[in-house]
Amino acid sequence: MLSMFGNLQPRQLLTQVLNFALILSTAFMLWKGLSVATDSPSPIVVVLSGSMEPAFQRGDLLFLWNRGQDTQIGEVVVYNVKGKDIPIVHRVVRRYGGGDKPLKLLTKGDNNLDDDTALYARGQDYLERSEDIIGSVKGYVPFVGYVTILLSEHPWLKTVMLGLMGLMVVIQRE
C-alpha cells in the first residue's frame, strides 16, 4: 500500500495533500458561513432521541434559523442546557415576558408526558430565548442524520471513514 505513495512524484503527492486540505477547509468555511447567515452556532442538528415523535424521528437532519427572537407557542426550538453540550429538540409550550422583558420559554417533547423543567440546569425553571436557544426549526430531511448517530455511537468508524477519505484523495490521479 505504501508503494502507491512511492510511485507519486513529490509534486503530485503535495498536490493530493493540498486537495484534501482544500476539501476540509471548504467544508469548514461552508459551516461557518451557514452559522453567520442563520445567526446560530449550530445551523444544522440531528435528532438524537424519539422525544419529538411523530413530528421528528431519530436521525432526522434539522435546519435552524435564529434571526428574530419572537418565538411563539408551538414552535419547535433547539436548545442547550447550561453545562451540557447536547442539543435538545423540543416544542415551546409556554412563554413568559417578551417586549421590554426578556423572553422566557418552557419546552416539552411531543412524545414526553412532562415538560422539560427536569432537563434544565439546576435552579432553572425556563429557557432564556437570547441565551439558551440555538435556533428554531425551519426545515428537515428525514433520516439523513443517521450517519452522524452511527459515528458518535461507534467512534472507531470516524477513524476508518477519515482514513478512507484521505487515502482516496491521495491515490486519486488527475
Side-chain angles (χ1 to χ4, degrees):
M1 183 155 136
L2 290 176
S3 63
M4 287 188 266
F5 297 117
N7 294 340
L8 290 175
Q9 297 295 324
R11 187 177 186 137
Q12 288 175 319
L13 182 61
L14 181 62
T15 301
Q16 297 299 347
V17 170
L18 288 176
N19 279 339
F20 185 63
L22 181 63
I23 290 169
L24 291 179
S25 63
T26 301
F28 179 74
M29 288 188 299
L30 285 171
W31 180 261
K32 285 301 178 185
L34 270 175
S35 293
V36 169
T38 62
D39 194 26
S40 175
S42 185
I44 299 172
V45 296
V46 175
V47 177
L48 299 174
S49 75
S51 67
M52 279 302 291
E53 290 179 359
F56 300 112
Q57 309 293 319
R58 187 170 191 254
D60 288 354
L61 190 70
L62 306 179
F63 299 99
L64 307 182
W65 186 259
N66 201 33
R67 296 199 179 274
Q69 302 285 315
D70 190 31
T71 305
Q72 299 299 317
I73 293 174
E75 196 170 326
V76 178
V77 296
V78 177
Y79 66 91
N80 271 341
V81 175
K82 290 178 178 99
K84 299 177 185 171
D85 213 14
I86 299 170
I88 299 174
V89 181
H90 283 172
R91 192 175 305 277
V92 174
V93 292
R94 212 173 266 140
R95 57 181 264 154
Y96 307 96
D100 295 341
K101 298 179 181 178
L103 182 58
K104 299 173 183 177
L105 307 170
L106 180 65
T107 57
K108 176 185 172 295
D110 290 356
N111 203 21
N112 294 350
L113 296 175
D114 298 322
D115 62 36
D116 291 349
T117 50
L119 297 176
Y120 300 159
R122 185 179 298 267
Q124 185 179 15
D125 294 325
Y126 49 79
L127 298 171
E128 300 244 359
R129 174 61 177 96
S130 58
E131 294 176 22
D132 300 317
I133 304 295
I134 297 172
S136 297
V137 176
K138 296 300 178 188
Y140 75 103
V141 179
F143 304 114
V144 173
Y146 258 111
V147 173
T148 303
I149 292 173
L150 285 173
L151 291 175
S152 61
E153 288 178 354
H154 306 287
W156 59 271
L157 277 175
K158 286 182 196 175
T159 307
V160 169
M161 197 165 116
L162 283 173
L164 286 173
M165 287 172 41
L167 184 64
M168 293 303 290
V169 168
V170 170
I171 64 173
Q172 167 193 344
R173 308 234 179 205
E174 291 189 24

